[in-house]
Amino acid sequence: MSRKGFFTDSTVCIGCKACEVACKQWNQLPDDGFQFTGMSYDQTGDLGCSTWRHVAFVERPVPMPGHSTGVGDFSWLMVSDVCKHCQRAGCLEACPTGAIVRTEFDTVYVQPDVCNGCGYCVVGCPFGVIDRRPDDGRAWKCTLCYDRIGEGMTPACAKACPTESIVYGDLDVLHERADNRLRELHSQGIISAYLYGKDAKNQPGTGGLNAFFLLVDRPEAYNLPPDPVVPTMKAGQAWGAVAVGALGMAAMAVGAVLLGRRGDS
Amino acid sequence: MSARDGDDTFLDRLQRRSDGRNVNPALGTLLGEGAQQRVTDLDRANPAHGFQAQVPSHFVADTAEAPSYHGLAAIKQPVWIATVPAYLFVGGVAGAASLLGLAIDVLGEKSMEPLARRCRLLGTAGDMLSAGLLIADLGRPTRFLNMLRVFRPTSPMSVGSWVLALSGALNSVGLVLGRSRGVLGVTGKVAGYSAAMLGMPLAGYTAVLLNNTAIPLWQSTRRTLPLFFMASASASAGSLLSLAPHTEREAEVLRPYRLAGKAAEVVMAHAVELDARRAPEVARPLSEGLSGTLWKTSRACSLAGLVVDALPGRQRWKQVAADMLTTVGAVAARFAVFHGGQASARNPQATFRPQRQGHGAAEVTGHAVASDGKPWSFPLPVVR
Ligand code: SF4
Ligand code: SF4
């Protein structure tokens, strides 16, 4: 099976939230309640256990070339965020039960019947994607529509996207498409456009993302970390400290016993 | 109305003909992936935002230098409950006590044997209590067994579950068979000794469990937190053993042991602070808010515990006060680190700024650029 993924081009996103709705509908995700956040047109806030696609709305006092809004220096940035299906997935490497697996499509999948709700994947994800539902006790996230792509169908969000902002397909094809789009934008003068997380060279901390993005502002503006790292890359140092600490503990115990000896045995 | 043809009543058939309700209700069954979620409370599932906590138009979290998305957290907060920091303390005590028991067994004299037995008792009780605390966080006992389904070396949670399960089992065997004769006795001894060796990783892995996460405060203290936890475990085990009645003879072992542990704990706590302060935004929870209060309390108690214990004079009240202070300090430190991690997860700048400073992937891969290919000083709006 070839490697599948998403290419999300933020420059053509119109913020219609069709992807959010399609995802909720196909996967029959539970309702989150009705809340007014007051944060632009974003009433969802972030990705979570029952939100697997999330459209971010960034309002910024900077014009985009070729856009006229009539309200002065202003531009919209919208992007549909999703689980990145990382090449080195923090959630997968953290899961102690083997509930999180890599599928034949190279995506990252949580098996709900195996997950025991320890919540370790939640803190293992450097993007804050996966979450445990408090009243369900298990961790949930985007499956990249594992049930659809197995039947040769397109994931619900990509199918519903009216502007082709979300494109699903073979990773090689997506990479080529993204490179072409980037060249096109640069030639139009949008020189701030760049690809986020395309491959290991582009984002060494995750080994590249199967769901990567074309953005035109700093990652932080979209709530994406600028230099994420799978925590296990640094775990060696912590285990090293444990080794040193073990020597110290043993030395303290042995030393105390030797000091307490009187030679009266 | 039933889905199967055979069981519908005459009334069903009448209605179906008259109002066109010939829909198979089975079609309405939820079968999508997410439909497995059991929902009991809508709003609890999405508590992050709630109703407007502040007037959004007054909200100024973003600056050109350090933007964020509506000031929302960039990563998820840990979902653990208070039994987890409690476990961080109890597990450490159990590990350190078992190890001291082993040292006395191997190197000690005959008159120290009751102390060794008390060490093993404390170790075994600690292991059992630890398992109980973990199960309380997971929700039901079978889930602890589920943790032993696989062994995954990249997951300290998996490594730790195995260490805890093995040390609990071996310690129990050691306690039951330790005094038998013959083959059984040897088995008991070997089991007890193995459990004691596992005590060292048991006291240390709890720190790695926190270090191996995306939470800024926990990830950035990975060089020192394990040493702090292990020192603190020795100090608390020494203090708890000293609080229990013991003979003059045993005090000669306990005193150097707990003093060394207390001194190491005070030094390592300072090292943890220095480690976190490499990025000021990351260290902030150690001085502010609930976690800041807990951390300062714990530092004061630990230091006082060390000083009072080290003062000349061997009155019982003095030593009891010192050991109480040390224990309170060690417990408060676990809760401070736990709540500090939650606070640093809530603050998006604690995630973003260290990464711009080169504390993200750049620290291990040497690629000193962020994902947008731009260094920290890159001026915001480029679009002209
Ligand atoms: S984005 Fe997070 S949840 Fe998704 S695969 Fe990567 S680590 Fe796992
Ligand atoms: S919560 Fe479930 S999926 Fe996440 S690490 Fe624990 S067992 Fe694995």
Side-chain angles (χ1 to χ4, degrees):
Chain A
M1 283 293 170
S2 53
R3 301 164 61 200
K4 303 287 188 188
F6 285 129
F7 166 48
T8 309
D9 178 353
S10 71
T11 55
V12 290
C13 179
I14 53 170
C16 68
K17 304 187 198 184
C19 50
E20 273 194 51
V21 175
C23 175
K24 280 247 182 199
Q25 269 190 339
W26 176 263
N27 294 301
Q28 290 165 353
L29 291 169
D31 188 355
D32 298 319
F34 293 91
Q35 288 163 339
F36 177 61
T37 64
M39 296 176 296
S40 192
Y41 289 93
D42 186 355
Q43 314 306 345
T44 316
D46 54 7
L47 293 171
C49 48
S50 53
T51 306
W52 296 352
R53 266 279 177 191
H54 161 240
V55 181
F57 289 78
V58 186
E59 300 174 2
R60 55 173 200 163
V62 185
M64 279 280 262
H67 289 198
S68 67
T69 56
V71 291
D73 284 354
F74 180 82
S75 62
W76 276 111
L77 298 181
M78 285 160 278
V79 63
S80 178
D81 196 8
V82 70
C83 167
K84 281 77 183 170
H85 296 275
C86 317
Q87 280 301 314
R88 283 203 56 185
C91 59
L92 190 152
E93 296 192 1
C95 179
T97 62
I100 306 187
V101 293
R102 193 166 284 283
T103 69
E104 66 270 36
F105 305 105
D106 203 38
T107 60
V108 178
Y109 179 73
V110 191
Q111 307 170 80
D113 52 340
V114 183
C115 170
N116 71 1
C118 66
Y120 200 46
C121 53
V122 176
V123 282
C125 170
F127 298 97
V129 171
I130 191 165
D131 203 2
R132 188 171 84 178
R133 190 169 172 104
D135 50 6
D136 173 77
R138 289 177 291 170
W140 299 88
K141 74 171 189 69
C142 160
T143 63
L144 216 141
C145 279
Y146 184 59
D147 47 350
R148 287 174 68 95
I149 62 180
E151 300 292 323
M153 293 157 79
T154 306
C157 53
K159 187 84 185 170
C161 179
T163 62
E164 289 200 342
S165 170
I166 302 171
V167 192
Y168 161 80
D170 287 350
L171 221 48
D172 305 332
V173 179
L174 293 181
H175 283 173
E176 204 183 308
R177 181 176 176 138
D179 288 335
N180 288 339
R181 175 70 181 153
L182 194 65
R183 266 196 295 279
E184 190 185 321
L185 286 173
H186 283 180
S187 69
Q188 285 174 12
I190 307 184
I191 52 153
S192 63
Y194 65 97
L195 296 176
Y196 178 87
K198 183 184 137 201
D199 48 29
K201 202 165 136 278
N202 184 299
Q203 197 178 86
T206 60
L209 308 174
N210 275 27
F212 61 104
F213 300 82
L214 190 153
L215 305 176
V216 293
D217 202 340
R218 301 160 65 129
E220 293 96 312
Y222 305 90
N223 221 15
L224 293 168
D227 191 22
V229 58
V230 56
T232 32
M233 268 196 187
K234 296 179 172 181
Q237 287 173 323
W239 284 118
V242 170
V244 175
L247 285 181
M249 279 178 81
M252 280 192 268
V254 169
V257 175
L258 292 182
L259 273 177
R261 277 171 83 119
R262 281 189 196 144
D264 62 357
S265 60
Chain B
M1 199 194 297
S2 161
R4 280 158 292 158
D5 281 338
D7 318 325
D8 48 357
T9 60
F10 176 67
L11 187 66
D12 288 339
R13 282 200 297 275
L14 253 186
Q15 283 183 330
R16 202 185 306 150
R17 207 167 304 123
S18 60
D19 67 3
R21 281 189 290 172
N22 52 352
V23 177
N24 182 351
L27 292 177
T29 313
L30 297 183
L31 294 169
E33 292 269 1
Q36 288 198 35
Q37 299 192 25
R38 290 188 306 273
V39 185
T40 53
D41 182 352
L42 284 185
D43 286 339
R44 214 152 61 89
N46 200 6
H49 326 302
F51 294 96
Q52 298 175 22
Q54 62 257 312
V55 180
S57 55
H58 293 179
F59 188 66
V60 279
D62 297 11
T63 60
E65 178 61 16
S68 78
Y69 182 68
H70 299 289
L72 288 177
I75 51 170
K76 291 274 177 295
Q77 274 192 68
V79 291
W80 296 327
I81 56 175
T83 54
V84 168
Y87 160 65
L88 299 182
F89 173 77
V90 177
V93 170
S98 315
L99 182 64
L100 182 62
L102 171 64
I104 296 176
D105 257 352
V106 175
L107 300 168
E109 297 161 352
K110 199 117 197 101
S111 51
M112 297 178 193
E113 235 159 50
L115 179 61
R117 187 156 176 85
R118 247 178 292 138
C119 286
R120 276 196 299 271
L121 258 179
L122 183 60
T124 313
D127 285 343
M128 298 296 145
L129 186 55
S130 296
L133 288 167
L134 273 196
I135 287 168
D137 183 60
L138 291 175
R140 56 182 107 103
T142 49
R143 286 186 169 170
F144 187 77
L145 292 180
N146 208 7
M147 300 285 251
L148 308 177
R149 214 183 139 253
V150 293
F151 176 75
R152 199 192 283 279
T154 56
S155 168
M157 182 76 100
S158 173
V159 176
S161 303
W162 278 100
V163 169
L164 177 62
L166 283 177
S167 96
L170 291 171
N171 249 336
S172 313
V173 172
L175 205 62
V176 172
L177 299 181
R179 285 184 169 177
S180 326
R181 282 161 207 262
V183 186
L184 284 184
V186 172
T187 315
K189 278 233 153 22
V190 171
Y193 290 176
S194 319
M197 294 304 285
L198 285 173
M200 293 181 282
L202 180 61
Y205 102 84
T206 47
V208 185
L209 183 74
L210 301 185
N211 295 144
N212 188 32
T213 64
I215 309 293
L217 179 65
W218 296 348
Q219 193 184 91
S220 66
T221 51
R222 64 192 176 280
R223 295 178 193 82
T224 45
L225 197 67
L227 291 167
F228 171 60
F229 273 20
M230 292 168 99
S232 170
S234 306
S236 330
S239 297
L240 289 178
L241 287 166
S242 308
L243 278 173
H246 56 275
T247 62
E248 269 301 302
R249 180 77 195 84
E250 290 163 352
E252 283 167 38
V253 177
L254 286 176
R255 189 174 150 83
Y257 181 69
R258 63 168 195 266
L259 278 177
K262 288 179 186 192
E265 182 185 16
V266 168
V267 172
M268 284 324 298
H270 190 63
V272 168
E273 268 190 69
L274 288 183
D275 208 9
R277 267 201 228 124
R278 286 180 304 145
E281 202 66 31
V282 169
R284 198 189 274 187
L286 292 182
S287 51
E288 283 177 13
L290 170 66
S291 53
T293 312
L294 280 167
W295 181 253
K296 283 183 229 156
T297 312
S298 83
R299 287 310 84 226
C301 290
S302 296
L303 193 61
L306 173 63
V307 170
V308 173
D309 210 353
L311 285 177
R314 301 227 174 154
Q315 300 92 328
R316 177 73 181 153
W317 67 264
K318 199 192 90 198
Q319 189 229 312
V320 166
D323 292 337
M324 298 284 274
L325 281 168
T326 302
T327 309
V328 170
V331 174
R334 301 307 200 286
F335 278 86
V337 169
F338 179 71
H339 286 292
Q342 298 202 314
S344 81
R346 278 193 296 271
N347 175 5
Q349 295 304 341
T351 302
F352 298 151
R353 289 202 201 168
Q355 293 189 5
R356 286 283 178 189
Q357 280 174 23
H359 293 188
E363 215 166 35
V364 272
T365 60
H367 290 60
V369 284
S371 294
D372 54 359
K374 289 153 196 159
W376 170 239
S377 58
F378 179 76
L380 192 56
V382 238
V383 191
R384 289 281 170 244

